[in-house]
Amino acid sequence: MDLTVISHLAQVFAQYPVEVAHGEGVWLHARDGRKILDFYGGHAVAGLGYGHPRWLAALERQARQMAFQTNALPMAIRERAAARLSKFVGLGLDTVFWINSGAEANENALKLAFKITGRAKVIALQHGWHGRTAAAGAVTWGALEKWYGFPRRPFDVEFAPRDNPAAVAQFVDADTAAVIVEPVQGVGGAYEVGKPMLQALRQRCDEVGALLIFDEVQCGMGRTGAPFAANFYGVTPDMLTAAKALGNGFPVSALLLSRGVAQHIKNDDMGTTFGGGPMACAVAEAVIETIESEALLANVRQVSTYIRSSCLVGPVTRVQGAGFLLGLKTSRPAKTVQAALLEKNILTGTSADPHILRLLPAYILNEGHVDRLSDALSKIPA
Ligand SMILES: Cc1ncc(COP(=O)(O)O)c(C=O)c1O
């Protein structure tokens, strides 16, 4: 395909100069014949990499059996996947509402918080990113100034600093319905909000009766090397949202509820057509099964440590983040490093921080792949 031909797609995405033909494991095959090592994972989606046989088998099996069925009809696969997901996270988050995207999961979490608390204010963190819908965009740092588009926010929002546990009480008060936080901020630069801050938010929410929501759309589903960041930091939210790697490319998201929250819900509080579709549930089940049976969490931890030690070369001055949500701090603009790496057939991401190169690789990445990255980085001037 000639990419210069006039496109019928809405021109809303900046695109990299690579047309993908197919993928295999951690490799992308471009239409022009290049083989590109992927450290970006389709923006944190391809946790198992491309074309994983268990994922493919689950899709095919479920498509043949029953590709779609409404939530009005019970199905075993829906129940089984919910049980598997809540067991994977543990922490008493054992009620699952299936939906389709990260923003939709956050939207429903916020709606429940308003309903349960009867309050109208949300506290989010500076530099946080939660999605493009009316509520998720309203709690996204900088959205109003850049792209929000709706005439006004649908509820009150304040943004607290992401690095100041002592300031939490100034923001979270008896009017607060919910605090929403990415435990490791993705777009914000693979930035660890960190345990002291998460603990301070947990404690303050308990003091004032607000609900704590972890947006684990990007940092969850094994990306930290633990099932979720909630496990990684040992802090339990009242609600947790998951998407991206949950489906490894098939659209699926989930809102997980604590028992305290779940006891408040009743028929019609939430709804969806496609959420909880059998294909989505079959892939979610297969993804968790694969992460567990192939010991991928241990691999994420081991290879993440290796990245931290071997990629401090060339323009990289520091590595931040957790597991396979890493930010390489660069001495020159990250975009220029990204472009230089792509010329060497390595795909990476950037972030809202112009000096952070973001890595979101598949959990099957190995140390040999990292050697290729560190070698390429070492050839880029600082
Ligand atoms: C932390 C976080 N929350 C929410 C979203 C929105 O997810 P979706 O694009 O599936 O609506 C994203 C997407 O990048 C994200 O990174």
Side-chain angles (χ1 to χ4, degrees):
M1 180 184 152
D2 180 356
L3 291 176
T4 59
V5 167
I6 291 175
S7 170
H8 292 272
L9 292 170
Q11 298 299 299
V12 292
F13 299 103
Q15 292 189 315
Y16 303 138
V18 181
E19 193 197 341
V20 176
H22 69 277
E24 203 183 339
V26 295
W27 295 96
L28 295 174
H29 295 263
R31 183 75 63 199
D32 60 12
R34 275 182 296 163
K35 192 177 163 198
I36 294 168
L37 180 54
D38 185 8
F39 277 84
Y40 191 51
H43 202 75
V45 167
L48 305 184
Y50 305 110
H52 193 289
R54 285 177 200 258
W55 179 86
L56 281 173
L59 269 178
E60 189 182 345
R61 198 169 48 240
Q62 192 59 52
R64 287 184 191 284
Q65 207 174 79
M66 172 61 74
F68 182 75
Q69 197 42 259
T70 160
N71 283 289
L73 296 180
M75 286 195 75
I77 182 61
R78 198 176 282 136
E79 285 288 350
R80 223 168 53 222
R84 189 92 197 219
L85 179 59
S86 54
K87 185 160 170 252
F88 185 54
V89 62
L91 308 175
L93 295 166
D94 52 15
T95 297
V96 177
F97 178 60
W98 296 111
I99 45 273
N100 311 287
S101 70
E104 194 185 2
N106 288 335
E107 196 94 1
N108 279 286
L110 292 166
K111 188 171 86 167
L112 277 188
F114 295 128
K115 196 170 151 33
I116 292 169
T117 63
R119 303 171 183 176
K121 184 175 80 172
V122 174
I123 303 302
L125 293 193
Q126 294 173 1
H127 306 282
W129 214 94
H130 301 291
R132 298 251 175 195
T133 54
V139 293
T140 290
W141 174 249
L144 232 64
E145 296 75 20
K146 290 188 200 136
W147 49 256
Y148 187 60
F150 299 97
R152 65 189 75 85
R153 287 191 175 110
F155 45 82
D156 303 330
V157 181
E158 284 176 37
F159 290 93
R162 61 184 178 179
D163 58 354
N164 189 355
V168 163
Q170 292 166 31
F171 289 87
V172 183
D173 59 23
D175 294 328
T176 307
V179 174
I180 185 163
V181 52
E182 291 169 87
V184 187
Q185 293 183 337
V187 175
Y191 176 89
E192 273 191 284
V193 167
K195 187 165 178 158
M197 186 67 191
L198 296 174
Q199 279 176 327
L201 292 171
R202 177 69 278 171
Q203 191 185 335
R204 186 62 180 160
C205 282
D206 289 342
E207 282 165 9
V208 301
L211 296 171
L212 182 60
I213 302 167
F214 278 5
D215 175 345
E216 297 219 25
V217 166
Q218 188 161 152
C219 67
M221 279 309 293
R223 191 153 291 281
T224 59
F228 284 88
N231 309 99
F232 186 76
Y233 294 109
V235 179
T236 302
D238 300 295
M239 292 184 255
L240 184 153
T241 57
K244 292 194 187 281
L246 176 61
N248 193 51
F250 194 92
V252 52
S253 69
L255 167 59
L256 288 115
L257 310 176
S258 69
R259 286 168 206 166
V261 170
Q263 69 178 353
H264 292 280
I265 57 173
K266 56 175 177 35
N267 263 359
D268 252 2
D269 278 349
M270 299 181 284
T272 168
T273 295
F274 290 118
M279 302 271 289
C281 291
V283 296
E285 183 186 50
V287 166
I288 297 169
E289 217 165 76
T290 307
I291 289 174
E292 290 180 339
S293 64
E294 298 185 7
L296 294 182
L297 298 182
N299 188 62
V300 169
R301 292 193 295 270
Q302 182 188 321
V303 179
S304 174
T305 305
Y306 189 65
I307 294 174
R308 283 174 181 275
S309 64
S310 63
C311 288
L312 278 170
V313 290
V316 180
T317 59
R318 198 177 75 218
V319 182
Q320 64 186 41
F324 275 0
L325 172 41
L326 290 176
L328 307 187
K329 184 96 186 164
T330 52
S331 53
R332 58 202 192 90
K335 268 188 189 311
T336 66
V337 180
Q338 182 193 38
L341 285 171
L342 193 51
E343 272 177 27
K344 298 174 194 308
N345 291 334
I346 294 180
L347 182 66
T348 53
T350 54
S351 75
D353 181 332
H355 282 270
I356 291 288
L357 190 74
R358 198 164 23 144
L359 306 183
L360 300 157
Y363 309 160
I364 55 172
L365 191 86
N366 65 36
E367 294 181 359
H369 300 131
V370 177
D371 289 340
R372 288 174 184 255
L373 174 64
S374 58
D375 183 53
L377 282 168
S378 70
K379 294 182 176 128
I380 298 171

